[in-house]
Amino acid sequence: MADLANLRDPVVIAAFEGWNDAAEAATGAVDHLIEEWDAELVLAIDPEDYYDFQVKRPEVEFDDEGVRRLTWPTTRIYLARPDDTGRDVILIRGIEPNMRWRGFCRELLEVVDESNTQLVVVLGALLADSPHTRPIPVTASSSDPELNASWSLEPSSYEGPTGITGVFADLCTTLGVPAVSIWSAIPHYIAGTPCPKASLALLSKVEALLDLPIPEGDLPELARAWQRGADELSEEDPEVAEYVASLEEQRDTTDLPEATGDAIAAEFERYLRRRNTDRPE
C-alpha cells in the first residue's frame, strides 16, 4: 500500500457499483472527483476473493499505444490532494462484492486506519417516485449522535435489506470512525441511463456538509443534457407526461426536497417492491 500517513485532515468518500448505485449516480460522482482532482491510484484490491467473474466479467481493451490489456473488476482506492482545500481526500471507487463482505470491508478499514481518517462518507442512489422536472432529492444520515447534532442530520429509521454501503458505514461506526450516508433519489421511469443531475446533487450535498470546495467541471452541462432528454421523453409519450404531472403535484405538496430519513426509507421500500415486481419468474 502507498504511504497514506501524514495526510491533511483526510476524509474518505466511497461509492460502489451495483445495488446501491441507481443510474450510476454515486459512482458517477466519485468518477468526477477522481478526474477533476487528478487523483492518484494508490491501491487496487485483489478481486479473487470477492467477485464472481461470471457475474462481473473481466474486460479486454486496447490502451493508448494499441496494446491489448485485460482489466479485472475490482475496487480501487485513490488519493486526491486538492490545492484549494485544507484536506486530502481518499476516494474509494468500487463494485459491490459477490461474497465475503466483512473481509472486503476489513481491507477498506485498513485504509481508513492507515490514513488516520476521522470521517467516512458513503454515497448511494435509489429509484424513487420523483419527477425529473424537480431538484433531485438528497438526504444525509448517520448513526453517530455527535455528527447528527453538529450537522443537523436525522438518524435513519430505515429497516430492511442493505447493500455494501450500509455494511461499510456500520463497520466504520463500530470501530469508532464517524460515517455519514448521502443518498439521491432517481426518477424510476428514466433510470436506464446515467444521471449526472443526481451526481451533481450528491456532490453539492458533500460540499455543503464538509465545507469542501468541489469543482463542477462539465457536470452541470451533462446534467442539463440529461434534463433535456428526460423532457423530450415526457413530451413524446402522453402516458409518461401524465405520470410526471401527477408526481409533480405530489412533490409540490410535500417536503420531499428536504426529505426526512423516513421519507427516503419509504421510497427505498417502494424501490424494493418494484424490483421484486419487475423480476422475471
Side-chain angles (χ1 to χ4, degrees):
M1 182 188 300
D3 184 12
L4 294 176
N6 303 315
L7 299 182
R8 304 173 301 162
D9 190 19
V11 59
V12 166
I13 301 176
F16 301 90
E17 291 180 24
W19 201 66
N20 318 268
D21 190 30
E24 301 176 20
T27 52
V30 171
D31 286 340
H32 176 80
L33 295 179
I34 292 170
E35 180 177 355
E36 289 295 321
W37 282 336
D38 193 22
E40 172 193 2
L41 176 64
V42 296
L43 176 67
I45 290 179
D46 186 344
E48 195 71 20
D49 291 334
Y50 304 116
Y51 298 106
D52 180 344
F53 299 133
Q54 290 182 321
V55 175
K56 185 68 175 179
R57 293 181 178 273
E59 295 184 1
V60 175
E61 57 187 5
F62 292 92
D63 63 17
D64 294 338
E65 298 177 355
V67 179
R68 192 169 181 264
R69 304 283 188 188
L70 182 66
T71 302
W72 292 91
T74 189
T75 289
R76 295 178 172 84
I77 293 92
Y78 298 81
L79 175 61
R81 300 177 181 269
D83 295 332
D84 55 348
T85 73
R87 70 192 322 172
D88 296 321
V89 184
I90 296 170
L91 300 166
I92 299 177
R93 204 293 190 190
I95 305 169
E96 185 174 70
N98 303 110
M99 61 199 79
R100 300 188 67 242
W101 283 25
R102 286 177 293 184
F104 176 82
C105 287
R106 279 195 293 269
E107 291 206 35
L108 299 184
L109 289 169
E110 288 179 8
V111 174
V112 174
D113 183 64
E114 174 77 15
S115 61
N116 196 33
T117 293
Q118 299 302 310
L119 177 65
V120 171
V121 177
V122 290
L123 305 181
L126 55 87
L127 302 181
D129 295 325
S130 179
H132 72 275
T133 52
R134 299 293 187 266
I136 296 288
V138 176
T139 187
S141 63
S142 175
S143 298
D144 184 272
E146 293 185 6
L147 204 58
N148 286 332
S150 61
W151 284 358
S152 300
L153 305 179
E154 293 190 17
S156 174
S157 60
Y158 170 73
E159 295 180 311
T162 190
I164 194 64
T165 57
V167 174
F168 182 45
D170 180 74
L171 289 176
C172 287
T173 301
T174 299
L175 294 179
V177 179
V180 58
S181 299
I182 303 178
W183 285 78
S184 61
I186 311 296
H188 71 86
Y189 57 91
I190 194 168
T193 58
C195 183
K197 182 177 179 180
S199 297
L200 185 61
L202 284 170
L203 291 177
S204 296
K205 191 67 171 182
V206 170
E207 184 175 54
L209 289 179
L210 273 60
D211 193 22
L212 180 68
I214 293 178
E216 292 185 338
D218 61 355
L219 204 49
E221 178 53 38
L222 292 174
R224 286 190 288 270
W226 178 90
Q227 183 73 50
R228 289 193 295 270
D231 288 341
E232 290 172 2
L233 171 68
S234 178
E235 293 169 359
E236 292 171 358
D237 190 325
E239 291 186 2
V240 173
E242 183 179 355
Y243 180 62
V244 171
S246 69
L247 292 179
E248 289 173 337
E249 183 178 357
Q250 295 173 25
R251 176 71 174 270
D252 293 342
T253 56
T254 66
D255 293 329
L256 194 52
E258 300 295 334
T260 64
D262 288 342
I264 290 296
E267 292 289 358
F268 197 45
E269 289 168 359
R270 281 194 288 270
Y271 162 57
L272 292 176
R273 288 196 297 271
R274 186 179 300 113
R275 282 173 57 94
N276 290 335
T277 300
D278 294 341
R279 184 177 297 140
E281 297 296 335

